[in-house]
Amino acid sequence: MRALVIEDEPDIREALAENLRARAFVVDTADDGTQGSYLARTNAYDIIILDNMLPEKNGYAVCEDIRRTGRTTPILVLSVLSDSWRKVELLNAGADDYMIKPFSFEEVMARIRALLRRPHVMEGDLLAVDTLSLDTKKQVVRRSEIQIHLTKKEYMLLEYLMRNRGSVLSRSMIMEHVWDMTSDPFSNTIESHMLSLRKKIERPEWKKLIYTVPGRGYRMEE
Ligand code: CA
């Protein structure tokens, strides 16, 4: 999953980014509203964490920008109590949730998990396909009750495939959601990580779950 953190306070921005990376997110950051709005409109993020009081453009205006482009990425707004914007105004501008500073990172992460699972309300923190399961809270992957040890990138790739099971995911979609701005789109990274992931989750005695769709990309069994 790929996250964008728009926050001008360096300590909070870096702490958020660090916490997200520790939970297997790819993270881009912006320190003002203009840059944040630009990144949010030009990249495919799975979640946006947006401070409301920002230089150049406030969170309210950034929310409006993002929603005007038709993007439905969940937006979690961070704010201080003295902020003049009321929760209802931010929600009207397109924010999905709202948190008052100071907050605990545990709480931020719980809210983010809740926002990410909205389209799949029934599955909670656990994603499952056939005998494969992925616990997004504990970051534990199992196939037929056997725990599978994945690298961080393999885990990210698997989470993205499982959340979008049944759909064909192109190389560029995978690149956008699992790699960050600094990656080289022409390298064979996706192929090599996909290969090592498949070796780990698809033993000969298990059902095949990841299919290559020639010329289009990859699809995980539904
Ligand atoms: Ca701020």
Side-chain angles (χ1 to χ4, degrees), residues 58-111:
N58 64 33
Y60 182 89
V62 175
C63 264
E64 284 192 321
D65 283 357
I66 298 168
R67 294 305 182 226
R68 249 198 312 271
T69 62
R71 287 187 185 264
T72 55
T73 318
I75 302 174
L76 171 62
V77 173
L78 308 175
S79 196
V80 287
L81 261 185
S82 56
D83 200 336
S84 60
W85 295 93
R86 285 179 303 137
K87 182 172 180 169
V88 62
E89 287 166 326
L90 284 161
L91 296 175
N92 282 340
D96 296 274
D97 201 358
Y98 178 95
M99 283 188 81
I100 301 286
K101 291 177 182 176
F103 46 75
S104 74
F105 290 105
E106 218 163 291
E107 195 185 348
V108 173
M109 293 313 303
R111 299 278 189 104

Side-chain angles (χ1 to χ4, degrees), residues 7-9 51 53-54 101:
E7 164 67 86
D8 58 320
E9 287 160 68
D51 181 34
M53 292 173 94
L54 289 165
K101 291 177 182 176

Side-chain angles (χ1 to χ4, degrees), residues 197-209:
L197 173 63
R198 278 172 153 175
K199 277 187 189 153
K200 292 181 183 179
I201 65 162
E202 292 183 339
R203 293 190 193 166
E205 66 270 29
W206 293 337
K207 191 179 167 209
K208 182 176 161 74
L209 297 180

